[in-house]
């Protein structure tokens, strides 16, 4: 079957002030401000809509001291998408900022690596250093969805539709996965938390929340192997994404961007970064 091309969007729904030392294992000798953005992604084509991660809500934002900008689920309406009609939701992993609002998609099936649910309900959750990234209600909700036969589990890479594939990476979370989408500019790799920022990958410096550092480093390699080049990789939390890509229209300026068009400038890439440093 021929590969389908998809429109691809990122919706920015929250942000937080942070510092460089919070984003790299071992800190940073040039510590300074380094804000973090939070995104939901949408791939649409061939009569199908895939929502990729579901963000968090205002209540969790307040609890975790994040700056909540807008409800990502309600923002789907600006794209003519009704959450109650969405049939496919890809969960890159079960951390609080990627699976909250799952209950707002009552008719969707959820695509998840089986290893992630095993991890989120397993023995390591007794350790706050790892469990703090999860909301118990979210994890229990996914368990209930599984009993309702609404979760499709995967053990590694899989094609969900022509031109749209998921790829296991691990590292940051046990069952982390990223998404590769065929667009009019070629394949775009949505890294999610395989690389939070362009610089994590470019500098080969893993993010601070890590289950397995070696797998996180290998994840950078997987992103590069599956993308035409670095300009086709979109990190999961980098504010640069909103600067490098255009909005779908004037009404969505500062709210969402198109990822199916080339970026306006080059982002940090690994080869150049390592040569300079």
């Amino acid at each position: 079957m021929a590969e389908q091309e998809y429109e691809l969007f990122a919706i920015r729904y929250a942000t937080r002030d942070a510092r460089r030392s919070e984003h790299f294992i071992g800190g940073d000798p040039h510590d300074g401000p380094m804000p973090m953005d939070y995104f939901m992604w949408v791939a649409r084509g061939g009569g199908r809509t895939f929502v990729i991660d579901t963000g968090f809500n205002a209540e969790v934002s307040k609890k975790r001291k994040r700056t909540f900008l807008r409800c990502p689920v309600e923002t789907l309406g600006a794209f003519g998408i009704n959450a109650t009609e969405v049939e496919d939701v890809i969960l890159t992993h079960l951390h609080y900022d990627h699976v909250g609002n799952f209950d707002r998609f009552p008719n969707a099936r959820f695509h998840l690596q089986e290893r992630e649910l095993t991890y989120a309900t397993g023995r390591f959750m007794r350790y706050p250093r790892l469990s703090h990234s999860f909301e118990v209600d979210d994890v229990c909700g996914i368990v209930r969805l599984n009993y309702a036969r609404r979760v499709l589990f995967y053990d590694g890479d899989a094609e969900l539709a022509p031109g749209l594939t998921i790829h296991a990476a691990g590292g940051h979370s046990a069952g982390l996965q990223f998404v590769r989408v065929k667009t009019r500019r070629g394949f775009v790799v949505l890294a999610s938390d395989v690389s939070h920022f362009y610089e994590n990958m470019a500098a080969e410096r893993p993010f601070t929340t890590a289950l397995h550092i070696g797998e996180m480093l290998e994840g950078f390699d997987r992103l590069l192997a599956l993308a035409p080049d670095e300009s086709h990789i979109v990190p999961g939390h980098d504010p640069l994404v909103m600067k490098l890509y255009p909005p779908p229209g004037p009404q969505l300026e500062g709210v969402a961007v198109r990822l199916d068009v080339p970026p306006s400038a080059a982002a940090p890439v690994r080869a150049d970064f390592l040569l300079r440093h």
Side-chain angles (χ1 to χ4, degrees):
M1 186 178 296
E3 290 172 341
Q4 172 68 43
E5 287 188 359
Y6 297 83
E7 295 180 294
L8 189 60
F9 308 98
I11 297 171
R12 175 177 178 256
Y13 69 90
T15 188
R16 75 177 177 98
D17 293 329
R19 299 189 65 80
R20 291 182 56 81
S21 57
E22 298 178 72
H23 303 318
F24 304 100
I25 289 177
D28 190 272
H30 308 291
D31 198 13
M34 193 173 182
M36 173 180 280
D37 279 352
Y38 296 84
F39 296 97
M40 169 196 282
W41 302 275
V42 177
R44 181 169 62 186
R48 296 184 69 177
T49 296
F50 289 85
V51 170
I52 301 160
D53 289 341
T54 55
F56 53 72
N57 59 28
E59 181 182 358
V60 169
S61 180
K62 183 178 180 180
K63 171 184 173 182
R64 291 182 177 260
K65 297 180 172 58
R66 305 303 188 239
T67 300
F68 195 65
L69 302 173
R70 60 192 58 87
C71 173
V73 180
E74 292 176 3
T75 306
L76 290 174
F79 296 87
I81 299 170
N82 185 334
T84 64
E85 298 174 358
V86 171
E87 296 181 350
D88 292 284
V89 174
I90 300 169
L91 297 176
T92 63
H93 57 306
L94 295 179
H95 284 175
Y96 77 96
D97 51 325
H98 295 263
V99 67
N101 298 313
F102 70 90
D103 56 326
R104 302 284 296 275
F105 298 87
N107 295 302
R109 53 189 168 236
F110 293 81
H111 303 270
L112 180 71
Q113 293 289 321
E114 184 172 11
R115 188 182 177 196
E116 181 70 358
L117 189 58
T118 300
Y119 171 55
T121 57
R123 69 184 191 276
F124 291 137
M125 292 302 101
R126 64 184 301 220
Y127 301 111
R129 183 68 185 86
L130 297 174
S131 63
H132 82 280
S133 296
F134 298 89
E135 287 287 329
V136 174
D137 289 345
D138 292 340
V139 176
C140 291
I142 299 302
V143 171
R144 291 189 180 97
L145 287 179
N146 183 35
Y147 273 76
R149 303 179 69 178
R150 290 180 54 202
V151 183
L152 298 178
F153 290 107
Y154 301 87
D155 181 17
D157 302 351
E159 181 183 72
L160 303 192
L164 193 150
T165 52
I166 55 174
H167 303 271
H172 174 65
S173 191
L176 176 63
Q177 60 185 356
F178 62 92
V179 186
R180 185 176 188 243
V181 183
K182 182 68 178 295
T183 73
R184 57 182 171 172
R185 72 167 173 128
F187 280 106
V188 174
V189 172
L190 297 176
S192 183
D193 288 3
V194 180
S195 191
H196 285 63
F197 295 86
Y198 284 105
E199 192 174 341
N200 290 119
M201 180 181 69
E204 293 186 341
R205 297 179 64 196
F207 189 74
T208 46
T209 300
L211 174 64
H212 194 295
I213 295 172
E215 289 183 1
M216 190 176 282
L217 290 165
E218 288 179 336
F220 300 154
D221 293 334
R222 292 218 73 199
L223 296 176
L224 290 162
L226 287 165
D229 57 46
E230 290 93 337
S231 71
H232 289 73
I233 299 172
V234 180
H237 290 276
D238 201 321
L240 268 177
V241 170
M242 295 298 293
K243 298 177 181 178
L244 292 174
Y245 292 94
Q251 76 281 8
L252 289 172
E253 181 79 40
V255 175
V257 291
R258 297 196 72 105
L259 302 175
D260 50 8
V261 298
S264 60
V269 299
R270 177 148 60 167
D272 290 346
F273 193 96
L274 293 178
L275 284 172
R276 293 198 308 270
H277 295 77

